[in-house]
Amino acid sequence: METKPVNGKFELIKVPFGNADLQPYISGVTLSFHYGKHLQAYVNNLNAALPGSGFEGFSLEDIVRKAEGGVFNNAGQILNHNLYFTQFAAPESCQPAPTGKLLVAIEAQFGSFEAFQKEFVAKGVSLFGSGWVWLSANTEGKLLITQEPNAGNPIRKGLRPLLTFDVWEHAYYLDYQNRRADQLNDLWKIVNWRVIEERYA
Ligand code: MN
């Protein structure tokens, strides 16, 4: 399902958890800045840049596929954060691993769920500077892990994004300072695999 503007504007997405529900892995303070300030700013910036850009009325996904420059950067960051925030849930309500077709595909591609987690975190840790690590599916349903710098999203390469960890410092610095690997390893505790399974279905 693509994200359409309402009366010419994109809106800040609603998240399926309370401000303190992801603690201690994402604190309420981090959430208030990351979601309430950073994501809100990308939404405001895109809405301000849309008139006259040629992308009025386009879905968010189509803007990310086709735009360049500031319009792409802000649209990409909105789509990336929408996928990021909506994949989480309070730790007590999360399953430790996916099931069904997604688990079968992960085991076929990476050998085991644990091997997949290790490779995903390693690719997040080794990404130089700001960006995102992604699990995506290609048109045949085959899974792959990719690194995207800055506002990059795998839909620009024809892939379907399933899971992402944000490795911009604003995502973790208040809680984990320079310990990016610790943050990424802890994020597994709040991944809502039901959401990722639906994205893969
Ligand atoms: Mn971010």
Side-chain angles (χ1 to χ4, degrees), residues 15 17-38 84-85 88-89 91 169-177 179 183 186-187 190:
V15 292
F17 43 76
N19 194 55
D21 287 355
L22 306 182
Q23 297 192 130
Y25 312 113
I26 296 177
S27 70
V29 176
T30 287
L31 205 57
S32 69
F33 279 89
H34 196 188
Y35 168 75
K37 304 284 186 193
H38 288 274
Y84 176 77
F85 285 121
F88 294 130
E169 285 185 345
H170 70 218
Y172 60 87
Y173 214 84
L174 293 174
D175 300 331
Y176 287 75
Q177 295 78 47
R179 294 176 288 116
Q183 156 80 151
D186 279 348
L187 288 179
I190 51 170

Side-chain angles (χ1 to χ4, degrees), residues 40-125:
Q40 181 70 64
Y42 296 129
V43 171
N44 296 346
N45 291 344
L46 179 62
N47 286 335
L50 275 181
S53 69
F55 291 101
E56 301 94 327
F58 280 54
S59 71
L60 182 63
E61 290 78 2
D62 264 344
I63 298 172
V64 174
R65 287 184 190 103
K66 294 167 185 163
E68 301 294 340
V71 171
F72 164 70
N73 284 334
N74 286 288
Q77 285 293 73
I78 298 169
L79 181 59
N80 298 350
H81 286 93
N82 288 357
L83 290 163
Y84 176 77
F85 285 121
T86 58
Q87 74 192 357
F88 294 130
E92 58 273 17
S93 66
C94 287
Q95 310 288 324
T99 57
K101 183 179 141 186
L102 179 60
L103 180 61
V104 170
I106 286 174
E107 289 176 343
Q109 188 62 39
F110 303 101
S112 68
F113 177 62
E114 293 71 26
F116 154 72
Q117 287 180 298
K118 200 172 164 193
E119 182 177 338
F120 194 82
V121 168
K123 286 223 166 104
V125 170

Side-chain angles (χ1 to χ4, degrees), residues 139-150:
T139 49
E140 283 86 48
K142 187 186 160 190
L143 300 178
L144 60 166
I145 300 172
T146 56
Q147 297 172 323
E148 292 287 344
N150 302 315

